[in-house]
Structure formats: structure tokens, C-alpha cells
Amino acid sequence: MSKTIKGKIWKFKDNINTDVIIPGRYCHLTDLNELAKHCMEDDDPDFAKKVSSGDILLAGDNFGCGSSRELAPITLKAAGLSCVIAKSFARIFYRNSINIGFPIVECTQAYDDASVGDTFEIDFKSGTVTNTTKKKNYKIVPFPDFIEQIVKSGGLLKCKDLLSQ
Amino acid sequence: MNLVEKIFAKHAGKKSVVPGEIIMAECDVIMGNDLSTSLSIDIFRENGFKKVLYPDKLAIVMSHFVPAKDIMTAKLCQKVRDWVKQHKIKNYIEAGKGGIEHVVLPDEGFIKPCDLIVGGDSHSVTYGAFGAAGIGIGSTDLVFAWVTGKLWFKVPPVIKIIYKGKKARWVYAKDMILLALRELTSSGALYKGIEFDGEAVAGLDIAGRTTLANMTAELGAKCGIIKADQKTIDHLNKTRLKGTKFDMSSADSDAKYEKIVEFDLTKIEPQIAQPYSPDNVCDVSDLKRVKVNQVYIGSCTNGRVEDLRIAAQLLKGKKVHSDVRMIVTPASQNAYLSAINEGLVQIFIEAGAAVSTPTCGACLGGFMGIVGPKEVCVSTTNRNYPGRMGDREALVYLANPAVAAASAITGRITHPEEINVPVTV
Ligand code: SF4
């Protein structure tokens, strides 16, 4: 994970589930470009056309609830999103994202003040999220050390220490 | 310790564990279906792995897109089959030989009380009905378990849910879990374990227990456990586990819970989850004149033969409403065969329902019962998010099999008491 991420945000509500992130009807697809075309389709059918590479998704509570499909973070990544910031994440989505090295940030305060199109900067080193449009700073809920170790390795299967434990 | 902690401690080789602790635990069964396994195979290959550590711990059940719905899914299933052969996975359950993994594995003797089962499917929590910790995982975690036999876990805080009181006629386990969703919401058990207790839980049959445990996924739970008892043993003794000595551990009397929630069932009526979330629950009789286009009875939540019996009881000698298409998809070959032998399939067909081979199919918007824009479907499944069963504007209501069958007869969402069914003892 790079030390800082900067991008424009898209805002979604609480309980965004994996069926919305990538519907079951596309789950047999393997081509990343094809998957990307259907990202968030059942919430906003034009999302895939509107999103630009490097954009950030901002959501409320329980982001990624529902199915265990790992295609959810894979599709968000394929669509060009650089990170998801949410008040909280559903547990399987959380693990899946960490496991594939897709950046996710738990931050409880950033959501309410933000408007679509605001620019956000995430500084993993200092553990802060900044809404640069509104000039506001928020604290990131830090990963436990164990998870930080997976993140630093770039994903679960790159974590040699764990594989040999 | 509570039961969740005991199971984690046992599999981590520790005397005790506490919530928040991160452990590496041995898995008893490593489950995958066609969809999660297919992606795991790609990940396994991309990362250069060559060998599954304990091939006999793997159980691969073809359920989501079988029988293959098109060429793409046929290729996906082919990939899984070839890999299974190559790695000599003996617990491979093909279409025609099993059904939906969460029904097949316990019925075929793969699940034991106090086991730790990881599954590449969120409804792996269903194994909690047998006193096991069933935990849903994604495809990378699945690969990690394939190559190491283990997985890391954070020991969760546990909520105890107690159900008391006698249920009214037409109230089932589905209504018990919908009631919990109504009160606790979709994030009510996020990152948490659940232990069920109370006389109403002990009183449930195995089918009811699987329904209850199944939808703890919709509460966001990591696992949802009903401690094993004589009914569990009797069920497992009908499988290849016959004669096994089971670990019947239960929570200590001073076990700690994050909170204890109690529900009194004496006053509740059938519950129904309205679009677009499983926690958007109300009483069935609160809904007035909602016209129905499709009724679906099936899935790992309510596709056992016990569920089909409930539906058949209402449909016997009646017709599915002319504006409704009704689809019955038994969850397993066993359920299907029992339904044939008991004359249930005849009742469904004479009523004008389509009866299909076991598959996840329509439950995940795959095939065999996709719902169109603005159409209303009353379904015994577990999720009604936008697009889950088809078009993003389809309106899916989640209910028990009696409500589903009653609604199929009248063509609108209906309390089963409206249908004249003699009480049998
Ligand atoms: S029946 Fe539905 S919920 Fe159950 S495993 Fe299949 S797709 Fe998932």
C-alpha cells in the first residue's frame, strides 16, 4: 500500500452489500475489464462510466455486507477505485480487501461532512484522512499490528511468516 | 468461556482465548462451492502453489451455477472439476449427487459439534445449527486454508440470543431470525459471534435450526451457534458419522457475553422482510394488498423437505393463482427424493408450480427464476438486496414457506391463516 492516496470521492450510504458492488449474475466473469463495467451497477447503473482512476469510495456503516464473494473488492479495484473509506466494514469484505492488498480505511467521522466530488487525501503513515476541499482532518482507526503485517506484505499469500507458521 | 471461545481455543491449541485475541486455528473442514473454488484455483495458480496440504479436509460442492446455465458457467465448472481430479480431492459433490452445500454437508456427515469449518460462502454460518463454528470466508482465505490447513481469526465478542415461549401456528424459525433482524438490524452482530439459547431453540427440529443459524449471516455475524443436543446426535447418527463420539462441550455457567437479548415468541405472527434489506421487517398482516408475480421456495435457508412439507400442506388440492408463477427448488437431492416419495412434488405440480432440480439458481440471481423490473417475488431465501434475484427494481419479500405458499394461492402477500388448512395433530 502506498503511503498516501489522493482522489475525488463518491458517496454511498450504509449497508452497501456485495450484490450491489458486483451482482451475482456477473460472478462467473473472469475478465477484469468486464467486471469493472458492472461495478456498483444496481445502485447506480452509470457508476462505471463516471468513475475515474484513482477515485475514492466513501460509505457509511457495514460496507460490503452480504455474500463472501472476493470479486467485490476485486471489481472495485478493477474499476479504478484507489480506496474505500467507510464508517465500518462487513467482516468478510474486510478480510478479502486486506487479503488482496486493496486499501480500505475505517474512519467514523469523515462521512457526514463530505459531498460528492470533494477531494480526499489519505496519509497512512500519520493515520489521517483529510477532506482537502472542506479542509478538515479525521483520524483513521488503525489496523491491529497483525493485520498491518498482512497489509505491509501486500496481501495474505505474500505473507511468508504466516504461511510457514 | 462461552462456546465460541471454547471452539476457537480448541482449534488454536490453547487453554483459553479472549475476545479480540488473534489466533491461528486448525480447520476441520475447508468448504468451497463452484463459484468460490473457481476463483481460489486462479489465486492458487497465480501464487505458484502446487499442493493442497490436507486434500481430505476439502469439501467442494457444486451448487451455484449447476447444472451449468450457459457456456461461461460450463467452463467455470470444468475448471473446478479438472483441478479436483488433479489434486485428488475425494469430497467432491457434483450436480445430481448433492445440492446446496449448507444442506448437503451436514446431511452427509461432514459437520460435527465443536468443529471449526471455514467455507467459501457467507452462509457457512449454517453449520452452527450442529454446534459447530461455521465461518464464511473469501477465496484468498480459502487458498490459505488449502495450503496450510489453518486460518487466522480474531476471537469475536459474543451475543447471546434467547427465544422463549410457544410459537403460534404458522410461525417458524424463519420468523424467529427475521424478528432478530428487525430488532438488531443488519449490522447488529457485525464482527460478533452469536450463541442461541432458550426452550424455543431447543424445541426446533434440525431444519428449523439450520434456518436460524443460516441468517445470522444477515446480522453480520462471524458465526451463529446452537449447542448440540440429542436431536443433533440423532441427525448425525443417520450419516457416515454413526457411532462417533462427539464433543458435546457447552458454555460455562460463568461465560461472558457482550450482551444478552431475549425474544418472547408467544405474541408474534409470521414476519416478512420487505425490499431492499433483510432487516426491513414487519408483520405479514401489516402489508395490505401487495400483488405477487412470483413465489420461490428453496435455498439453504428454507429448501429442506420439512420446508416443502409446510408449503405442500397449504397447496394440497389448491391452485397457484393465475397471475403467479411458483417455483419450488428443493435444496438437496435427498430433499427432492423425499418430496417425491411423500407425494409433495405431485401436490406442487397439480397446483401449477414448477419444480426444479436442486441449485442455488434464482437465490443469487443466477438462473431458473430471475425476477423482472418492478415484479414482486415472495421468496423463502435470505437476501432481498437490489438486484439479488434479478433486476435492480425487482421487489423481493423474504418469508417463511407457509407465507410463500399462501401468497401463491391468493396472488397477494397473505397470512397463511387465511387459507383453510385443517389442523393435524
Ligand atoms: S442458496 Fe442462496 S444463499 Fe444459499 S448458498 Fe446458494 S446462493 Fe447462497
mmCIF file of all heavy atoms in Angstrom, chain B residues 55-86:
data_model
loop_
_atom_site.group_PDB
_atom_site.id
_atom_site.type_symbol
_atom_site.label_atom_id
_atom_site.label_comp_id
_atom_site.label_asym_id
_atom_site.label_seq_id
_atom_site.Cartn_x
_atom_site.Cartn_y
_atom_site.Cartn_z
ATOM 1 N N PRO B 55 -5.734 -32.756 1.458
ATOM 2 C CA PRO B 55 -6.815 -32.825 0.448
ATOM 3 C C PRO B 55 -8.123 -33.377 1.022
ATOM 4 O O PRO B 55 -9.206 -32.975 0.593
ATOM 5 C CB PRO B 55 -6.251 -33.780 -0.613
ATOM 6 C CG PRO B 55 -4.789 -33.830 -0.373
ATOM 7 C CD PRO B 55 -4.537 -33.490 1.056
ATOM 8 N N ASP B 56 -8.027 -34.263 2.024
ATOM 9 C CA ASP B 56 -9.250 -34.875 2.550
ATOM 10 C C ASP B 56 -10.078 -33.935 3.421
ATOM 11 O O ASP B 56 -11.218 -34.240 3.755
ATOM 12 C CB ASP B 56 -8.917 -36.160 3.322
ATOM 13 C CG ASP B 56 -8.393 -37.235 2.379
ATOM 14 O OD1 ASP B 56 -8.417 -36.995 1.150
ATOM 15 O OD2 ASP B 56 -7.951 -38.294 2.862
ATOM 16 N N LYS B 57 -9.478 -32.812 3.817
ATOM 17 C CA LYS B 57 -10.263 -31.827 4.582
ATOM 18 C C LYS B 57 -11.118 -30.957 3.666
ATOM 19 O O LYS B 57 -12.017 -30.261 4.126
ATOM 20 C CB LYS B 57 -9.329 -30.924 5.389
ATOM 21 C CG LYS B 57 -8.753 -31.597 6.607
ATOM 22 C CD LYS B 57 -8.159 -30.578 7.542
ATOM 23 C CE LYS B 57 -7.605 -31.267 8.778
ATOM 24 N NZ LYS B 57 -7.234 -30.309 9.802
ATOM 25 N N LEU B 58 -10.801 -30.971 2.387
ATOM 26 C CA LEU B 58 -11.566 -30.126 1.466
ATOM 27 C C LEU B 58 -12.903 -30.782 1.132
ATOM 28 O O LEU B 58 -12.982 -32.007 0.996
ATOM 29 C CB LEU B 58 -10.792 -29.908 0.160
ATOM 30 C CG LEU B 58 -9.881 -28.679 0.121
ATOM 31 C CD1 LEU B 58 -8.810 -28.761 1.186
ATOM 32 C CD2 LEU B 58 -9.269 -28.494 -1.252
ATOM 33 N N ALA B 59 -13.923 -29.979 1.029
ATOM 34 C CA ALA B 59 -15.211 -30.449 0.519
ATOM 35 C C ALA B 59 -15.639 -29.430 -0.520
ATOM 36 O O ALA B 59 -15.707 -28.228 -0.238
ATOM 37 C CB ALA B 59 -16.229 -30.542 1.640
ATOM 38 N N ILE B 60 -15.841 -29.903 -1.733
ATOM 39 C CA ILE B 60 -16.225 -28.987 -2.814
ATOM 40 C C ILE B 60 -17.594 -29.403 -3.343
ATOM 41 O O ILE B 60 -17.787 -30.538 -3.772
ATOM 42 C CB ILE B 60 -15.138 -28.973 -3.909
ATOM 43 C CG1 ILE B 60 -13.857 -28.386 -3.275
ATOM 44 C CG2 ILE B 60 -15.596 -28.155 -5.117
ATOM 45 C CD1 ILE B 60 -12.664 -28.335 -4.158
ATOM 46 N N VAL B 61 -18.524 -28.471 -3.214
ATOM 47 C CA VAL B 61 -19.908 -28.777 -3.571
ATOM 48 C C VAL B 61 -20.339 -27.850 -4.710
ATOM 49 O O VAL B 61 -20.257 -26.632 -4.593
ATOM 50 C CB VAL B 61 -20.849 -28.578 -2.353
ATOM 51 C CG1 VAL B 61 -22.256 -29.065 -2.681
ATOM 52 C CG2 VAL B 61 -20.316 -29.278 -1.115
ATOM 53 N N MET B 62 -20.768 -28.444 -5.791
ATOM 54 C CA MET B 62 -21.211 -27.663 -6.953
ATOM 55 C C MET B 62 -22.670 -27.246 -6.710
ATOM 56 O O MET B 62 -23.551 -28.107 -6.611
ATOM 57 C CB MET B 62 -21.092 -28.503 -8.216
ATOM 58 C CG MET B 62 -19.703 -29.089 -8.435
ATOM 59 S SD MET B 62 -18.418 -27.826 -8.592
ATOM 60 C CE MET B 62 -18.443 -27.597 -10.363
ATOM 61 N N SER B 63 -22.911 -25.950 -6.591
ATOM 62 C CA SER B 63 -24.252 -25.525 -6.182
ATOM 63 C C SER B 63 -24.767 -24.275 -6.891
ATOM 64 O O SER B 63 -25.942 -24.174 -7.200
ATOM 65 C CB SER B 63 -24.253 -25.240 -4.673
ATOM 66 O OG SER B 63 -23.285 -24.254 -4.368
ATOM 67 N N HIS B 64 -23.891 -23.333 -7.140
ATOM 68 C CA HIS B 64 -24.390 -22.023 -7.560
ATOM 69 C C HIS B 64 -24.859 -21.977 -9.012
ATOM 70 O O HIS B 64 -25.918 -21.456 -9.305
ATOM 71 C CB HIS B 64 -23.318 -20.951 -7.320
ATOM 72 C CG HIS B 64 -23.295 -20.481 -5.906
ATOM 73 N ND1 HIS B 64 -23.170 -21.342 -4.849
ATOM 74 C CD2 HIS B 64 -23.391 -19.237 -5.356
ATOM 75 C CE1 HIS B 64 -23.196 -20.648 -3.718
ATOM 76 N NE2 HIS B 64 -23.328 -19.371 -4.003
ATOM 77 N N PHE B 65 -24.039 -22.478 -9.896
ATOM 78 C CA PHE B 65 -24.385 -22.405 -11.324
ATOM 79 C C PHE B 65 -24.500 -23.786 -11.940
ATOM 80 O O PHE B 65 -24.101 -24.005 -13.073
ATOM 81 C CB PHE B 65 -23.361 -21.553 -12.081
ATOM 82 C CG PHE B 65 -23.495 -20.076 -11.821
ATOM 83 C CD1 PHE B 65 -22.479 -19.364 -11.205
ATOM 84 C CD2 PHE B 65 -24.646 -19.398 -12.186
ATOM 85 C CE1 PHE B 65 -22.608 -17.999 -10.966
ATOM 86 C CE2 PHE B 65 -24.784 -18.038 -11.952
ATOM 87 C CZ PHE B 65 -23.763 -17.325 -11.337
ATOM 88 N N VAL B 66 -25.003 -24.746 -11.153
ATOM 89 C CA VAL B 66 -25.196 -26.087 -11.716
ATOM 90 C C VAL B 66 -26.667 -26.467 -11.663
ATOM 91 O O VAL B 66 -27.363 -26.057 -10.751
ATOM 92 C CB VAL B 66 -24.369 -27.162 -10.970
ATOM 93 C CG1 VAL B 66 -22.895 -26.924 -11.178
ATOM 94 C CG2 VAL B 66 -24.716 -27.241 -9.505
ATOM 95 N N PRO B 67 -27.129 -27.279 -12.627
ATOM 96 C CA PRO B 67 -26.456 -27.617 -13.876
ATOM 97 C C PRO B 67 -26.106 -26.338 -14.645
ATOM 98 O O PRO B 67 -26.901 -25.394 -14.617
ATOM 99 C CB PRO B 67 -27.509 -28.437 -14.631
ATOM 100 C CG PRO B 67 -28.472 -28.909 -13.593
ATOM 101 C CD PRO B 67 -28.475 -27.880 -12.527
ATOM 102 N N ALA B 68 -24.937 -26.342 -15.295
ATOM 103 C CA ALA B 68 -24.411 -25.120 -15.918
ATOM 104 C C ALA B 68 -25.489 -24.400 -16.708
ATOM 105 O O ALA B 68 -26.259 -25.018 -17.425
ATOM 106 C CB ALA B 68 -23.230 -25.466 -16.812
ATOM 107 N N LYS B 69 -25.551 -23.075 -16.547
ATOM 108 C CA LYS B 69 -26.632 -22.335 -17.204
ATOM 109 C C LYS B 69 -26.245 -21.865 -18.596
ATOM 110 O O LYS B 69 -27.089 -21.515 -19.395
ATOM 111 C CB LYS B 69 -27.079 -21.173 -16.334
ATOM 112 C CG LYS B 69 -26.170 -19.971 -16.353
ATOM 113 C CD LYS B 69 -26.813 -18.804 -15.614
ATOM 114 C CE LYS B 69 -25.911 -17.597 -15.591
ATOM 115 N NZ LYS B 69 -26.386 -16.513 -16.438
ATOM 116 N N ASP B 70 -24.950 -21.782 -18.877
ATOM 117 C CA ASP B 70 -24.500 -21.342 -20.198
ATOM 118 C C ASP B 70 -23.049 -21.780 -20.391
ATOM 119 O O ASP B 70 -22.481 -22.466 -19.530
ATOM 120 C CB ASP B 70 -24.651 -19.815 -20.350
ATOM 121 C CG ASP B 70 -23.944 -19.065 -19.234
ATOM 122 O OD1 ASP B 70 -23.083 -19.660 -18.556
ATOM 123 O OD2 ASP B 70 -24.237 -17.872 -19.029
ATOM 124 N N ILE B 71 -22.452 -21.361 -21.486
ATOM 125 C CA ILE B 71 -21.096 -21.829 -21.783
ATOM 126 C C ILE B 71 -20.083 -21.298 -20.761
ATOM 127 O O ILE B 71 -19.199 -22.029 -20.313
ATOM 128 C CB ILE B 71 -20.698 -21.444 -23.225
ATOM 129 C CG1 ILE B 71 -21.640 -22.165 -24.205
ATOM 130 C CG2 ILE B 71 -19.251 -21.827 -23.526
ATOM 131 C CD1 ILE B 71 -21.534 -21.714 -25.635
ATOM 132 N N MET B 72 -20.257 -20.045 -20.373
ATOM 133 C CA MET B 72 -19.334 -19.458 -19.388
ATOM 134 C C MET B 72 -19.306 -20.271 -18.093
ATOM 135 O O MET B 72 -18.249 -20.558 -17.544
ATOM 136 C CB MET B 72 -19.777 -18.025 -19.042
ATOM 137 C CG MET B 72 -19.624 -17.038 -20.149
ATOM 138 S SD MET B 72 -17.924 -16.534 -20.363
ATOM 139 C CE MET B 72 -17.797 -15.285 -19.094
ATOM 140 N N THR B 73 -20.504 -20.601 -17.599
ATOM 141 C CA THR B 73 -20.538 -21.331 -16.323
ATOM 142 C C THR B 73 -20.133 -22.793 -16.526
ATOM 143 O O THR B 73 -19.584 -23.410 -15.619
ATOM 144 C CB THR B 73 -21.920 -21.234 -15.645
ATOM 145 O OG1 THR B 73 -22.919 -21.602 -16.582
ATOM 146 C CG2 THR B 73 -22.195 -19.840 -15.146
ATOM 147 N N ALA B 74 -20.371 -23.315 -17.726
ATOM 148 C CA ALA B 74 -19.909 -24.677 -18.011
ATOM 149 C C ALA B 74 -18.383 -24.724 -17.914
ATOM 150 O O ALA B 74 -17.800 -25.650 -17.364
ATOM 151 C CB ALA B 74 -20.369 -25.110 -19.395
ATOM 152 N N LYS B 75 -17.718 -23.683 -18.425
ATOM 153 C CA LYS B 75 -16.252 -23.620 -18.375
ATOM 154 C C LYS B 75 -15.764 -23.475 -16.939
ATOM 155 O O LYS B 75 -14.766 -24.075 -16.543
ATOM 156 C CB LYS B 75 -15.748 -22.430 -19.195
ATOM 157 C CG LYS B 75 -15.808 -22.655 -20.686
ATOM 158 C CD LYS B 75 -15.142 -21.466 -21.363
ATOM 159 C CE LYS B 75 -15.208 -21.560 -22.864
ATOM 160 N NZ LYS B 75 -14.935 -20.257 -23.485
ATOM 161 N N LEU B 76 -16.496 -22.660 -16.185
ATOM 162 C CA LEU B 76 -16.138 -22.454 -14.782
ATOM 163 C C LEU B 76 -16.182 -23.797 -14.033
ATOM 164 O O LEU B 76 -15.249 -24.155 -13.288
ATOM 165 C CB LEU B 76 -17.126 -21.445 -14.173
ATOM 166 C CG LEU B 76 -16.976 -20.966 -12.745
ATOM 167 C CD1 LEU B 76 -17.462 -19.534 -12.628
ATOM 168 C CD2 LEU B 76 -17.753 -21.817 -11.762
ATOM 169 N N CYS B 77 -17.243 -24.556 -14.258
ATOM 170 C CA CYS B 77 -17.385 -25.850 -13.581
ATOM 171 C C CYS B 77 -16.322 -26.841 -14.064
ATOM 172 O O CYS B 77 -15.793 -27.621 -13.272
ATOM 173 C CB CYS B 77 -18.782 -26.422 -13.804
ATOM 174 S SG CYS B 77 -20.076 -25.428 -13.052
ATOM 175 N N GLN B 78 -16.009 -26.782 -15.354
ATOM 176 C CA GLN B 78 -14.958 -27.654 -15.916
ATOM 177 C C GLN B 78 -13.631 -27.414 -15.224
ATOM 178 O O GLN B 78 -12.919 -28.357 -14.876
ATOM 179 C CB GLN B 78 -14.767 -27.297 -17.396
ATOM 180 C CG GLN B 78 -15.260 -28.334 -18.347
ATOM 181 C CD GLN B 78 -15.131 -27.846 -19.790
ATOM 182 O OE1 GLN B 78 -15.090 -26.637 -20.077
ATOM 183 N NE2 GLN B 78 -15.082 -28.779 -20.703
ATOM 184 N N LYS B 79 -13.323 -26.137 -15.023
ATOM 185 C CA LYS B 79 -12.054 -25.779 -14.362
ATOM 186 C C LYS B 79 -11.994 -26.417 -12.974
ATOM 187 O O LYS B 79 -10.975 -26.993 -12.581
ATOM 188 C CB LYS B 79 -11.955 -24.252 -14.262
ATOM 189 C CG LYS B 79 -10.763 -23.784 -13.462
ATOM 190 C CD LYS B 79 -10.504 -22.287 -13.623
ATOM 191 C CE LYS B 79 -11.462 -21.457 -12.824
ATOM 192 N NZ LYS B 79 -11.276 -20.026 -12.983
ATOM 193 N N VAL B 80 -13.109 -26.321 -12.244
ATOM 194 C CA VAL B 80 -13.154 -26.879 -10.889
ATOM 195 C C VAL B 80 -12.974 -28.400 -10.940
ATOM 196 O O VAL B 80 -12.162 -28.967 -10.207
ATOM 197 C CB VAL B 80 -14.468 -26.501 -10.169
ATOM 198 C CG1 VAL B 80 -14.566 -27.191 -8.810
ATOM 199 C CG2 VAL B 80 -14.582 -24.988 -10.016
ATOM 200 N N ARG B 81 -13.703 -29.037 -11.845
ATOM 201 C CA ARG B 81 -13.619 -30.498 -11.965
ATOM 202 C C ARG B 81 -12.199 -30.968 -12.259
ATOM 203 O O ARG B 81 -11.706 -31.912 -11.639
ATOM 204 C CB ARG B 81 -14.515 -30.956 -13.122
ATOM 205 C CG ARG B 81 -15.848 -31.466 -12.659
ATOM 206 C CD ARG B 81 -16.716 -31.826 -13.854
ATOM 207 N NE ARG B 81 -18.009 -31.239 -13.624
ATOM 208 C CZ ARG B 81 -18.605 -30.355 -14.405
ATOM 209 N NH1 ARG B 81 -18.039 -29.944 -15.524
ATOM 210 N NH2 ARG B 81 -19.766 -29.873 -14.069
ATOM 211 N N ASP B 82 -11.544 -30.306 -13.216
ATOM 212 C CA ASP B 82 -10.178 -30.698 -13.599
ATOM 213 C C ASP B 82 -9.222 -30.557 -12.423
ATOM 214 O O ASP B 82 -8.401 -31.428 -12.158
ATOM 215 C CB ASP B 82 -9.676 -29.831 -14.764
ATOM 216 C CG ASP B 82 -10.439 -30.137 -16.043
ATOM 217 O OD1 ASP B 82 -11.141 -31.180 -16.068
ATOM 218 O OD2 ASP B 82 -10.361 -29.339 -16.993
ATOM 219 N N TRP B 83 -9.380 -29.453 -11.703
ATOM 220 C CA TRP B 83 -8.478 -29.190 -10.570
ATOM 221 C C TRP B 83 -8.694 -30.226 -9.467
ATOM 222 O O TRP B 83 -7.737 -30.732 -8.873
ATOM 223 C CB TRP B 83 -8.740 -27.764 -10.048
ATOM 224 C CG TRP B 83 -7.779 -27.334 -8.992
ATOM 225 C CD1 TRP B 83 -6.557 -26.758 -9.181
ATOM 226 C CD2 TRP B 83 -7.960 -27.440 -7.568
ATOM 227 N NE1 TRP B 83 -5.973 -26.515 -7.969
ATOM 228 C CE2 TRP B 83 -6.801 -26.911 -6.968
ATOM 229 C CE3 TRP B 83 -8.980 -27.929 -6.757
ATOM 230 C CZ2 TRP B 83 -6.646 -26.851 -5.580
ATOM 231 C CZ3 TRP B 83 -8.825 -27.876 -5.383
ATOM 232 C CH2 TRP B 83 -7.667 -27.347 -4.805
ATOM 233 N N VAL B 84 -9.958 -30.556 -9.231
ATOM 234 C CA VAL B 84 -10.316 -31.542 -8.213
ATOM 235 C C VAL B 84 -9.662 -32.896 -8.535
ATOM 236 O O VAL B 84 -9.115 -33.566 -7.667
ATOM 237 C CB VAL B 84 -11.858 -31.667 -8.138
ATOM 238 C CG1 VAL B 84 -12.300 -32.989 -7.557
ATOM 239 C CG2 VAL B 84 -12.442 -30.507 -7.339
ATOM 240 N N LYS B 85 -9.678 -33.262 -9.809
ATOM 241 C CA LYS B 85 -9.049 -34.529 -10.245
ATOM 242 C C LYS B 85 -7.545 -34.470 -10.021
ATOM 243 O O LYS B 85 -6.949 -35.382 -9.455
ATOM 244 C CB LYS B 85 -9.328 -34.763 -11.735
ATOM 245 C CG LYS B 85 -10.709 -35.299 -12.001
ATOM 246 C CD LYS B 85 -10.687 -36.390 -13.094
ATOM 247 C CE LYS B 85 -12.038 -37.052 -13.185
ATOM 248 N NZ LYS B 85 -12.964 -36.280 -14.064
ATOM 249 N N GLN B 86 -6.982 -33.364 -10.477
ATOM 250 C CA GLN B 86 -5.534 -33.195 -10.381
ATOM 251 C C GLN B 86 -5.046 -33.294 -8.932
ATOM 252 O O GLN B 86 -4.004 -33.869 -8.646
ATOM 253 C CB GLN B 86 -5.170 -31.831 -10.979
ATOM 254 C CG GLN B 86 -3.683 -31.602 -11.118
ATOM 255 C CD GLN B 86 -3.366 -30.130 -11.422
ATOM 256 O OE1 GLN B 86 -4.236 -29.361 -11.853
ATOM 257 N NE2 GLN B 86 -2.129 -29.742 -11.172
#
